[in-house]
Amino acid sequence: MESSATTNIDDEHDPEGATVAYERAQMHTLLDQARGRLDEIDRAVAALRSGEYGTCERCGQPIGGPRLAARPATRRCRSCADLPREPA
Ligand SMILES: [Zn+2]
């Protein structure tokens, strides 16, 4: 992306393949998702250190081994997972 910032590629009229703009948008989405996952992992590590890992952030009940095995960075039990988060 950085190298293409100084070039003037007009691919909008290329009948084949995706445009550079589309691929950039897709890359931004993937980067945002990866950053979100890293944030979740950082929070899980912090919870491990504080001893709160495996405890639902909403109801305080244990999240449960199977759910943690499937989603190690989750912060809510299955019952609370679909409930909206409180505004920060
Ligand atoms: Zn819960």
Side-chain angles (χ1 to χ4, degrees):
M1 273 197 296
E2 288 178 19
S3 65
S4 66
T6 56
T7 61
N8 185 18
I9 300 171
D10 177 16
D11 69 342
E12 301 299 322
H13 300 100
D14 182 353
E16 295 179 30
T19 65
V20 169
Y22 174 80
E23 289 179 358
R24 280 184 186 168
Q26 204 171 28
M27 192 175 300
H28 277 289
T29 299
L30 292 172
L31 276 171
D32 286 345
Q33 289 173 348
R35 286 186 183 117
R37 288 190 188 115
L38 284 174
D39 288 345
E40 289 175 12
I41 291 167
D42 284 345
R43 280 192 286 264
V45 169
L48 265 174
R49 289 185 175 141
S50 69
E52 296 172 353
Y53 184 76
T55 301
C56 177
E57 70 176 5
R58 185 177 177 279
C59 70
Q61 296 298 307
I63 292 173
R67 180 162 170 78
L68 286 173
R71 303 187 63 163
T74 190
R75 290 178 287 154
R76 288 188 171 197
C77 70
R78 183 65 199 103
S79 299
C80 297
D82 295 332
L83 298 172
R85 296 195 183 280
E86 295 77 23

